[in-house]
Amino acid sequence: MAAKKMNFEQSMARLEEIVGLLERGEAPLEESLALFEEGTKLMRACSALLDKAEQKVALLKVGPEGQPEEVPFDGEE
Amino acid sequence: MNGELRVLSVSQISQYIKGQMDRDEVLSGVLVRGEISNYKLYPSGHHYFTLKDGQSALRCVMFRGDAVRMRFRPENGMQVIAAGRITVFPRDGQYQLYCVQLTPEGAGDLQLAFEQLKEKLAREGLFAEEYKKPLPKFPQQIALVTSPAGAAVRDMLRILKARWPRANVLVVPVRVQGEEAAEEIAAAIDYVNYYKLADLIITGRGGGSVEDLWAFNEEVVARAIYRSHIPIISAVGHEPDVTISDYVADLRAATPSNAAELAVPDRVELAGSLDHLARRLERGIAHPMSAARQKLERLGGSPALTDPSNYVRERRLLLDYHSRRLIHGLEQSLAGEKGRLGKLAASLDALSPLKVLGRGYAIARSEDGTVITSTQQVEVGDAVDLRLREGTLACRVEERK
């Protein structure tokens, strides 16, 4: 499974699944090592996602055709 | 009877009575307490009912224009205070109370309206658990249907930013109090749904009086929340304020700040759970690793691996042993062969033509080495070798006899 393709939620879910599989201890060593490697990658990806996060805050404006438009909003109006 | 009496038409006397009543100070502005009975709402929008107490009854009408301001629905048996004026309706000569305002006794009219709408919507199933939509665990786009001014929106933005800055926020500005508020809120929820502007909606406002919060007790808002395909958190006023919106929404938050906390995960907390997962991951791999190592050590306990030179030494001893046996065997069989060879040599010696030659015989051989045993084998002039006991004579055939 490609760690890059997954969003945070999927990554976390897969990570928990991997930890569960490892903790059950039924997988043979080679498979365990592969799981561990995948888990480590996901861990790094999730940490990176948590670290870099730019929040966009906008105010909705209804355009002339009734379509939604956004203007920046800083909470002070 | 007085002969000066005028004869009046029914209309004339009715108009007279009406005039008297309309001029009467008491009748032109009364408050009447009673119990509603015979309540009827006409398609015209006018409400008709009778107010009664133990002894008397009073017919009442409330025209549509006055009735629309009423927040609760009048019901038979309800104790109310009706405000209005009493006059006669000339067509049927009946006097009645023209009611402009109806107030339930006991609970306030807002309280009553709240209870009535709550009961109605509950009956329709708008609050049923089965219609509650699950909230996204990690929302990506949150719409705040609220006033863009005021503390509520700022509190929500501050908390959303601190906890989960991955989520973008769209403030959908609406009035949250006053006549137009309910319609605006409902329309905004529909709009966000129509253009799919968010995966989570928070609607609400900061604290205020019951009247200030009233928009969130209106049926249009309740219906819009129920209609929404996007999950909605309702966040109205302070902790003790509970509105109809709270009941219909997928999740009720005590305050707008609380809504922001419920809407998104906390990234600090998540970093903590990531750490926890990391430790579990390490432990998870440590176990199979140590199991494998133990197995390896068990296998490694074999002398073949712990002392390989000993293994070689043992093998060498074994090799020596086998090679000694081999050599011994060879010697044995060689000795046997030697004995046999001696015997064979002895018998060979006995049969040796050399012995015969010793006795004076000679062996004649043609040029190609064939032993000549008959005169037929040679022609005159052929070369013949004669092997004697000592040396060989080269001869030529002169004659065959």
Side-chain angles (χ1 to χ4, degrees), chain B residues 280-339:
Chain B
R280 283 173 61 193
L281 190 65
E282 298 283 352
R283 275 202 302 274
I285 195 65
H287 180 72
M289 286 287 275
S290 78
R293 193 166 290 130
Q294 271 172 24
K295 194 172 171 191
L296 194 61
E297 275 163 14
R298 215 163 45 244
L299 289 172
S302 141
L305 293 176
T306 49
D307 186 1
S309 63
N310 183 52
Y311 178 82
V312 172
R313 215 155 39 237
E314 272 179 16
R315 296 288 130 163
R316 184 162 291 146
L317 285 176
L318 203 60
L319 185 63
D320 287 351
Y321 169 73
H322 285 304
S323 60
R324 267 202 313 283
R325 277 187 58 194
L326 189 63
I327 290 164
H328 181 71
L330 268 175
E331 281 169 354
Q332 288 285 92
S333 71
L334 217 56
E337 291 300 311
K338 225 177 231 166

Side-chain angles (χ1 to χ4, degrees), chain A residues 7-9 12 15-16 18-19 22-23 29 32-33 36 39-40 43 46-47 49-60 62 66-68 70 73 75-77, chain B residues 137-138 140-141 148-149 153-154 157 160-161 164-173 191 195 197 267 270-271 273-274 277-278 280-285 288-289 292:
Chain A
N7 64 26
F8 189 86
E9 184 168 8
M12 281 293 275
L15 190 52
E16 282 179 30
I18 285 172
V19 169
L22 280 177
E23 285 177 343
L29 185 62
S32 295
L33 284 170
F36 178 74
T40 310
M43 189 79 62
C46 285
S47 295
L49 282 180
L50 278 186
D51 288 341
K52 82 163 178 33
E54 277 293 301
Q55 187 169 55
K56 198 179 82 184
V57 177
L59 183 73
L60 177 77
V62 176
Q67 79 282 14
E70 294 181 2
F73 183 71
E76 306 291 338
E77 203 178 72
Chain B
K137 239 172 141 181
F138 303 99
Q140 293 174 354
Q141 175 81 29
V153 74
R154 280 201 304 276
L157 287 176
L160 289 174
K161 186 179 175 138
W164 196 242
R166 290 190 64 71
N168 291 329
V169 183
L170 180 66
V171 177
V172 183
Y191 189 87
Y195 285 104
L197 297 178
R267 84 171 145 163
L270 264 180
S273 11
L274 258 183
L277 276 175
R280 283 173 61 193
L281 190 65
E282 298 283 352
R283 275 202 302 274
I285 195 65
M289 286 287 275

Side-chain angles (χ1 to χ4, degrees), chain B residues 349-367:
Chain B
D349 190 46
L351 293 169
S352 171
L354 296 177
K355 280 257 162 133
V356 183
L357 297 180
R359 294 205 295 270
Y361 293 94
I363 299 168
R365 276 200 185 91
S366 62
E367 273 176 323

